[in-house]
Every structure is written in structure tokens, then in C-alpha cells.
Amino acid sequence: MGLEYEKKFRAEENVLRRIDAALTEPPYFLQMETTYYDTPSGALSKRRITLRRRLENGISVCTLKTPTGTAARGEFQTECASIQDAIPILCKLTNWDELLFLTAEGVAPVCGAKFTRTARKILFGDSLLEVALDQGILIGGERELPLFEVEVELLSGKEQDADLYAALLAQKFSLQEEPKSKFRRALDLAKGDEKWQ
């Protein structure tokens, strides 16, 4: 199973610029356009499952994220043009046929996000981390919410290294941890449970 372990922080636009200027590793850039899917009954979100299709610099990548009972999440992805075509492939990758059962009623877009990611790979301790600075919008129905976020993701190594680096970054730039994923915040927006403008 693929695992995702990351720390997220809210940040103002000027703070993202300060962090970007402070990091010395060479950056790489991704234009992200994400659509999140659920069934009409909300079967996926009720089980804390995320199903998304994301255009990453124009490449269509479909992803399934699942809870694991720990701080990490299961993460599986495949390049695929449509989420419907991706579901059976994701089932094979995860060896988890319940996804076919859960999505038997069909899936439809429920919310989304558009943002630019400026990312760097950083060696810290015994680990390889990705530090991503995301700037754009969350989309829920006709509503939009500005997105300014910092992610520290463990690519390989120890969770403790990611935790320590994230804590040092948060302390240096006075970052506030973001407990909700982009999907959860966009879904709240679609439901009218999040402040919007």
C-alpha cells in the first residue's frame, strides 16, 4: 500500500513569499486543477475516502486516499483520462474491491481546487521531504475560498524527521497547522459550512 504522511499549514500570501525566498533548493512548479468526486449518498466522504482527478501540468492523474487508523493515509494513483475508467484500476492497485461496491451508484463532481504549487525536495535528517507552497482557490458549488498553504510531505525516511522539519518551519514563520484536507474544506464550502467570498 502507498502511504501519504504530511503536515499542512495555513499561510498568508506574504508568508509563502518569505518561505519561498528562504529555501535554497531548486524549485519545480505544478499547475494543479483538482476535481473531487463522491456518490450521490456521500458514501465515500462518510468513510473519509477521497477520490479525485487532478490535472498536473496537463497530465490527468486519478487518486484514491483511504484512512489507515494512523496519522498516515493510504494513497494510490494512476494516470487516467476519467475517474470512471480509473476506479477499476485503483481497485487492482489497492486490492480493495469494496471501492467498486461503494461507487456502484455512480460518482459525480462535488467540489474542487485550482492552485499553483512551488515545491522543493529537501534532505533532512535521514529523510527526503517535499516542501510545497500552494496558492490558488478552493471551489465548492458557486463559492470560492482563497488557498494559501504549506505542505511538508515525507517522500522517504522517518515520520519523526518530517514532524521535526515541519515544527521548525512552523516556528520560524509562525504557521498555524491546518487539520483539514483541501477536499474537506472544499466540501464544507460546497455545503455552505465554510466562510466564502
Side-chain angles (χ1 to χ4, degrees):
M1 176 170 67
L3 286 176
E4 174 192 62
Y5 186 83
E6 65 184 12
K7 296 288 186 179
K8 291 178 180 286
F9 300 94
R10 297 177 185 176
E12 299 296 329
E13 184 176 5
N14 65 317
V15 176
L16 288 185
R17 286 197 297 267
R18 287 172 53 214
I19 296 172
D20 188 41
L23 298 174
T24 58
E25 294 78 5
Y28 49 98
F29 305 95
L30 293 166
Q31 294 294 328
M32 305 283 211
E33 186 171 341
T34 305
T35 303
Y36 298 101
Y37 294 83
D38 205 345
T39 68
S41 65
L44 301 180
S45 58
K46 288 175 186 174
R47 291 166 174 80
R48 311 220 40 98
I49 295 166
T50 301
L51 183 63
R52 77 177 185 215
R53 177 178 177 262
R54 176 178 281 173
L55 291 176
E56 302 180 2
N57 286 346
I59 298 171
S60 178
V61 179
C62 297
T63 302
L64 174 69
K65 295 188 179 185
T66 59
T68 64
T70 69
R73 300 192 71 197
E75 183 179 64
F76 310 88
Q77 60 186 28
T78 183
E79 287 187 22
C80 201
S82 76
I83 201 70
Q84 287 78 14
D85 291 340
I87 287 173
I89 298 170
L90 291 168
C91 285
K92 289 180 182 177
L93 288 175
T94 60
N95 197 25
W96 189 56
D97 291 335
E98 188 179 359
L99 181 63
L100 287 174
F101 171 75
L102 291 174
T103 59
E105 61 181 305
V107 296
V110 291
C111 55
K114 293 181 181 179
F115 57 97
T116 300
R117 169 166 289 177
T118 303
R120 291 171 171 84
K121 291 182 179 176
I122 294 176
L123 291 170
F124 184 79
D126 297 321
S127 301
L128 179 62
L129 311 176
E130 181 184 68
V131 177
L133 310 178
D134 294 343
Q135 181 174 343
I137 55 171
L138 299 173
I139 304 164
E142 299 300 316
R143 301 168 173 170
E144 294 182 356
L145 186 70
L147 171 69
F148 301 102
E149 186 174 87
V150 180
E151 287 186 7
V152 177
E153 182 172 356
L154 178 65
L155 299 180
S156 64
K158 302 175 182 176
E159 292 180 3
Q160 296 91 330
D161 287 339
D163 289 342
L164 179 57
Y165 185 90
L168 292 171
L169 195 68
Q171 182 179 29
K172 182 175 182 179
F173 293 98
S174 301
L175 300 175
Q176 179 183 359
E177 191 164 357
E178 174 54 71
K180 290 186 176 181
S181 67
K182 290 180 181 71
F183 169 56
R184 287 288 159 186
R185 282 175 282 156
L187 187 60
D188 286 347
L189 193 62
K191 294 177 178 178
D193 296 336
E194 184 84 45
K195 291 181 182 178
W196 61 282
Q197 59 185 31

